[in-house]
Amino acid sequence: MSTFVMGCCRAYRRIARAFPHQYRAICGDGLEQLGEDLVPRVWQQQGVVGLIRLFGDLALRLPCEHFSTWADRLREATMADDFFEGTWRARQSEASLWKVDRPAPQQAYLRFEPTDTGYLMVAYGVVNGEACAERPQAIIADGRRRPLLDLSGRPIPGVPAGAMTFGSRPDPQTLELGSEVDGQVLGAGRYKVSADGKTLTVTNEGSGPKGPFEVVMVLERVVPDPYRA
């Protein structure tokens, strides 16, 4: 391989490393390896004209990817799409309350992913120094009552047979959820996003296998969202 071609390969790698972190996290080392593979072949088949086109395409793509990353962050910061969508991180505050017969988490996160019928809510965090996650929950806030089942339509261990779940959305920034069986309340939750869209207050209370429980958490929106490609 000639010195000129080797220099072109190095230049391609340097430009590839200038792409946004999110883009490179998806591509891995593929973009840099692409230069190693393409530059010699383009030089052999198309000469200088081919190399100009190759580097031209890369140079045009670079600002486009940076602009796309910036636009995604701006959209998340301004809450242009949805009040709940995204990842939320619990913060320690006087407003928080933990009255459950199990250890309080050292870290707690909620993630809301939009679906055709509402949201998929995932809760995870760290308890006693170990990572843990709760069962994903489908949220359909249309006021209708439905059997309380898992995402596959099967009964949930520990949930009484015949339990029903329901949800409503009094306003765009509030979700209210509940579950009951034979007229007895199993749980009730309220999720309220602040007016500026930066904090989420969660209130859950009810009766579980180990007795009554009550949880109040204040969470902050994580920006940029770590799960957004």
Side-chain angles (χ1 to χ4, degrees):
M1 186 182 298
S2 67
T3 303
F4 173 73
V5 175
M6 291 177 61
C8 289
C9 290
R10 287 194 297 269
Y12 196 102
R13 287 197 302 269
R14 290 176 180 175
I15 297 175
R17 291 169 185 164
F19 275 74
H21 172 74
Q22 292 89 335
Y23 184 85
R24 296 188 65 215
I26 296 173
C27 296
D29 297 329
L31 189 59
E32 297 179 34
Q33 186 60 47
L34 182 64
E36 296 281 351
D37 298 337
L38 279 181
V39 169
R41 183 176 302 178
V42 171
W43 170 250
Q44 291 177 358
Q45 297 179 356
Q46 303 178 27
V48 175
V49 174
L51 290 178
I52 292 175
R53 291 175 179 172
L54 179 65
F55 279 89
D57 289 341
L58 187 66
L60 288 174
R61 188 68 182 176
L62 179 62
C64 290
E65 290 300 331
H66 276 285
F67 177 79
S68 177
T69 300
W70 175 83
D72 285 344
R73 292 184 178 182
L74 179 63
R75 183 172 60 84
E76 292 171 8
T78 56
M79 287 295 298
D81 289 342
D82 190 281
F83 283 102
F84 287 90
E85 180 183 357
T87 303
W88 302 82
R89 177 179 55 231
R91 67 185 185 190
Q92 299 295 328
S93 69
E94 295 180 356
S96 297
L97 177 67
W98 188 261
K99 291 184 178 180
V100 183
D101 188 17
R102 58 183 177 182
Q106 289 82 55
Q107 298 179 33
Y109 292 84
L110 282 181
R111 174 160 180 79
F112 288 84
E113 298 181 4
T115 65
D116 293 340
T117 56
Y119 297 99
L120 178 67
M121 184 178 69
V122 182
Y124 60 97
V126 176
V127 178
N128 289 334
E130 296 184 357
C132 63
E134 294 187 0
R135 174 183 57 85
Q137 178 181 357
I139 296 177
I140 305 176
D142 61 1
R144 296 177 57 187
R145 302 167 66 84
R146 295 175 172 85
L148 183 52
L149 305 170
D150 66 15
L151 297 181
S152 300
R154 295 189 295 262
I156 301 171
V159 174
M164 305 294 288
T165 181
F166 45 89
S168 63
R169 192 165 187 172
D171 58 70
Q173 294 168 246
T174 306
L175 288 171
E176 294 182 347
L177 311 176
S179 59
E180 65 179 28
V181 60
D182 297 331
Q184 179 182 357
V185 176
L186 297 177
R190 190 170 190 267
Y191 301 77
K192 179 71 175 180
V193 178
S194 60
D196 60 9
K198 295 182 179 180
T199 60
L200 170 66
T201 301
V202 178
T203 303
N204 278 314
E205 58 184 353
S207 179
K210 296 184 179 181
F213 64 86
E214 182 179 2
V215 174
V216 178
M217 286 196 305
V218 179
L219 303 96
E220 298 175 323
R221 179 178 294 279
V222 180
V223 177
D225 190 333
Y227 291 91
R228 183 178 296 278

